[in-house]
């Protein structure tokens, strides 16, 4: 069985290369949607299967209590949560963990196109 710390490690490594390619070309200062569109294009170009703005339903006691939209899901196995903030904060990390809790997906990458590029890799075993 694959160690959870290394789950989809090669895939996340390739995604991170795409992230840096976009960051290095566009730099800091655009709206999140610009980075999302560029990264989506780059990921598709790298051979990934991607879905943008996929709705995810959130249940509480078997009742639908909300819905959110992922920025990008890669290969149906990794959620990408994108930010264009000055810096990542703990709230961003909890947001991604909650997205993982609401799905069968166990790996998430928090990618910030801030003044300095930032990456956080989150794991939640369902």
């Amino acid at each position: 069985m694959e160690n959870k710390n290394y789950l989809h490690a090669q895939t996340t490594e390739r995604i991170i290369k795409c992230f840096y390619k976009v960051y290095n070309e566009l730099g800091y200062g655009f709206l999140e949607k610009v980075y999302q569109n560029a990264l989506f294009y780059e990921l598709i170009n790298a051979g990934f299967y991607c879905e943008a703005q996929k709705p995810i339903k959130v249940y509480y006691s078997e009742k639908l209590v909300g819905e959110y939209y992922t920025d990008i899901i890669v290969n149906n196995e990794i959620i990408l949560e994108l930010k264009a903030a000055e810096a990542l904060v703990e709230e961003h990390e909890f947001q991604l963990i909650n997205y993982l809790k609401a799905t069968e997906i166990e790996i998430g990458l928090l990618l910030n196109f801030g003044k300095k590029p930032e990456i956080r890799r989150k794991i939640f075993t369902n």
Side-chain angles (χ1 to χ4, degrees), residues 41-91:
Y41 169 80
E42 197 57 50
L43 291 166
I44 295 293
N45 222 24
F48 289 109
Y49 170 74
C50 298
E51 294 175 276
Q53 297 299 309
K54 183 176 180 178
I56 303 292
K57 294 177 184 332
V58 179
Y59 292 90
Y60 174 79
S61 293
E62 298 179 15
K63 297 218 182 283
L64 179 65
V65 294
E67 188 174 73
Y68 73 91
Y69 297 86
T70 60
D71 288 333
I72 300 173
I73 295 180
V74 179
N75 293 349
N76 290 315
E77 60 191 17
I78 299 170
I79 293 177
L80 304 185
E81 177 61 24
L82 309 183
K83 298 295 177 193
E86 193 164 322
L88 290 177
V89 294
E90 196 174 40
E91 175 184 320

Side-chain angles (χ1 to χ4, degrees), residues 15-23 39 111-113 117 119:
I15 291 168
I16 290 167
K17 285 181 183 175
C18 292
F19 164 73
Y20 278 112
K21 186 171 183 184
V22 171
Y23 186 88
L39 184 57
L111 304 171
N112 186 30
F113 292 91
I119 300 162

Side-chain angles (χ1 to χ4, degrees), residues 2-52:
E2 190 173 14
N3 180 330
K4 293 293 180 189
N5 290 329
Y6 298 103
L7 188 62
H8 306 304
Q10 290 178 325
T11 303
T12 56
E13 196 175 295
R14 289 178 54 218
I15 291 168
I16 290 167
K17 285 181 183 175
C18 292
F19 164 73
Y20 278 112
K21 186 171 183 184
V22 171
Y23 186 88
N24 289 336
E25 188 164 326
L26 293 179
Y28 171 66
F30 288 103
L31 294 175
E32 186 180 301
K33 188 67 176 174
V34 171
Y35 295 112
Q36 180 182 319
N37 292 339
L39 184 57
F40 187 86
Y41 169 80
E42 197 57 50
L43 291 166
I44 295 293
N45 222 24
F48 289 109
Y49 170 74
C50 298
E51 294 175 276

